Amino acid sequence: MGSDSDLPIMKDAARILTMFGVPHEVRIVSAHRTPEMMFSYALSAQDQGIQIIIAEYYACQLSLALIKYQFDFTGMVASLTPLPVIGVPVRASALDGMDSLLSIVQMPRGVPVATVAINNATNAGLLAVRMLGVGDADLLARMSQYQEDTRDDVMKKAEKLQTDGWETYLNP
């Protein structure tokens, strides 16, 4: 384990995958301390039945495998596997996560990494579910229901705000 400091962010991807019943694993691998493990994992992911990798950048996590490294290893993993890689830029102490975001979105041609917002592992999990849903009608139907439920929640909040006013809404 290189560091578990980013697990509080990446847990959100694992929660989404669990909520949708998508099998996944959470692993931490330091590219600096265990580079052989990172290369081995990325090269063998497809043979292990992994379909999508969620990789956190700064200390990168891979999931339908969640694995951890540091610096530009999201791109390294994407270059080692034919599987889709979703990058989650993590807010570090400097630059408010913009360094992580810019590093992921500037991968060279031929090394695609899908990217979500800084610290937004929830969207990484949701994107993975949508990608898997392309080949799974039941999973896609559950994603549609999730979207409908989310819309309904927002509509209820909007109605409550309109009815009660902002002061009562904020101070129930």
Side-chain angles (χ1 to χ4, degrees), residues 5-13 88-91 119-122:
S5 62
D6 299 307
L7 192 54
I9 293 164
M10 295 307 290
K11 73 178 179 344
D12 295 335
V88 179
V90 173
R91 181 176 291 120
N119 282 8
N120 198 337
T122 296

Side-chain angles (χ1 to χ4, degrees), residues 59-120:
C60 297
Q61 292 269 347
L62 301 174
S63 176
L64 293 201
L66 290 157
I67 296 189
K68 185 178 264 195
Y69 344 94
Q70 298 176 348
F71 310 112
D72 184 19
F73 293 97
T74 303
M76 288 181 68
V77 169
S79 72
L80 292 168
T81 181
L83 301 173
V85 175
I86 302 170
V88 179
V90 173
R91 181 176 291 120
S93 56
L95 302 178
D96 212 27
M98 287 301 294
D99 51 341
S100 298
L101 175 64
L102 293 174
S103 293
I104 294 174
V105 299
Q106 294 188 38
M107 291 297 143
R109 227 175 240 107
V111 185
V113 177
T115 309
V116 296
I118 296 168
N119 282 8
N120 198 337

